[in-house]
Amino acid sequence: MRQLRADVSQHMRIETNAQAITGIFRMQANTMANSLPDKDQWVLVEGPGPGEAEFLGRWLLAAAAADRALQERFKHNTTLKQQISSLEIVYGIRFSSGATKFLELLMKDLTAFSLSVEDDWIDLFAVMADLGFFCLTGERYQMTLPSGTSGCAIEASLLKLAATEHHFCLHPEQMIHCITKIDAHTWHSRLESLSWMQRVADRDLLLGEG
């Protein structure tokens, strides 16, 4: 009987924490004003230098580690899948799949890639940005190694995204910094015009690694 009461108490704490996280983010999301037209919202992501195979390998491994941490979190919080059912139905939530897709986009010119808020991968991008796989520097994001992707952190990020749902549609743009398509193209062209050494030096300065 004592064990049953303990289990019920723990379940109630998990539910309360999830509701608190979701409620707080809903209030924050409702206060965010974005003047861009709904469909003209993009993110631009700059990658590391063209020879950074070690960084990219560690980045992919971090995504795989996040997948394992999420599966462990599902075991710990059995109600989580229900709370993020709108995400699970569409994606099955695989960080390694998203990381592979983003790396594929980067490989097109080894400089940067952009995503529209209409893109199928933008929801997962928003979560990965929240976890530290991407870091905002000015008007663009940088691919970065997350400092930690614990199950609790992943759960909180997924609940944030779930809290953006409105009329059965998720709004990941409430979690990320967006620019217009023209601005994304302009920034991308500017980055491509730099020598890769200059671009990487600038990137290091932006990330405080210079």
Side-chain angles (χ1 to χ4, degrees):
M1 180 62 71
R2 289 181 179 176
Q3 182 61 45
L4 177 58
R5 288 176 178 172
D7 291 343
V8 170
S9 178
Q10 181 181 18
H11 177 78
M12 291 177 66
R13 286 198 300 272
I14 291 173
E15 283 285 306
T16 301
N17 290 340
Q19 290 170 356
I21 292 171
T22 303
I24 290 171
F25 187 75
R26 278 204 174 110
M27 288 189 293
Q28 291 175 338
N30 288 336
T31 63
M32 294 177 68
N34 197 320
S35 60
L36 300 177
D38 288 344
K39 293 185 179 181
D40 190 21
Q41 298 188 68
W42 294 69
V43 293
L44 178 67
V45 182
E46 181 179 356
E52 293 288 342
E54 181 179 352
F55 170 87
L56 294 174
R58 292 170 63 192
W59 194 76
L60 290 172
L61 288 173
D67 282 334
R68 293 192 295 272
L70 177 58
Q71 294 309 310
E72 287 299 315
R73 194 61 185 169
F74 281 146
K75 295 176 184 177
H76 181 74
N77 182 358
T78 56
T79 65
L80 180 57
K81 279 197 175 185
Q82 181 180 357
Q83 292 167 340
I84 60 171
S85 58
S86 55
L87 284 65
E88 269 289 288
I89 290 173
V90 177
Y91 297 106
I93 307 177
R94 294 291 182 271
F95 293 105
S96 52
S97 297
T100 302
K101 178 61 179 181
F102 299 141
L103 185 56
E104 175 189 337
L105 294 173
L106 178 66
M107 289 299 102
K108 291 181 179 180
D109 64 14
L110 300 175
T111 300
F113 67 89
S114 57
L115 284 175
S116 166
V117 294
E118 300 290 301
D119 194 282
D120 290 339
W121 295 95
I122 196 66
D123 296 338
L124 194 54
F125 173 86
V127 173
M128 292 180 72
D130 193 52
L131 291 172
F133 285 90
F134 304 99
C135 176
L136 182 63
T137 55
E139 293 295 289
R140 64 188 185 275
Y141 284 89
Q142 304 289 340
M143 293 175 67
T144 51
L145 292 172
S147 57
T149 52
S150 68
C152 290
I154 294 171
E155 177 180 338
S157 291
L158 292 174
L159 288 173
K160 282 183 183 180
L161 180 58
T164 69
E165 185 176 355
H166 182 64
H167 292 167
F168 306 105
C169 291
L170 294 171
H171 292 274
E173 68 274 10
Q174 295 176 354
M175 292 177 61
I176 53 180
H177 177 75
C178 297
I179 56 179
T180 65
K181 183 177 182 179
I182 291 177
D183 286 342
H185 177 74
T186 300
W187 269 108
H188 198 155
S189 298
R190 188 178 303 170
L191 293 172
E192 282 188 301
S193 68
L194 298 173
S195 68
W196 72 265
M197 289 184 291
Q198 180 62 57
R199 183 180 69 77
V200 171
D202 291 347
R203 168 183 152 88
D204 288 346
L205 286 174
L206 288 171
L207 293 174
E209 299 174 359

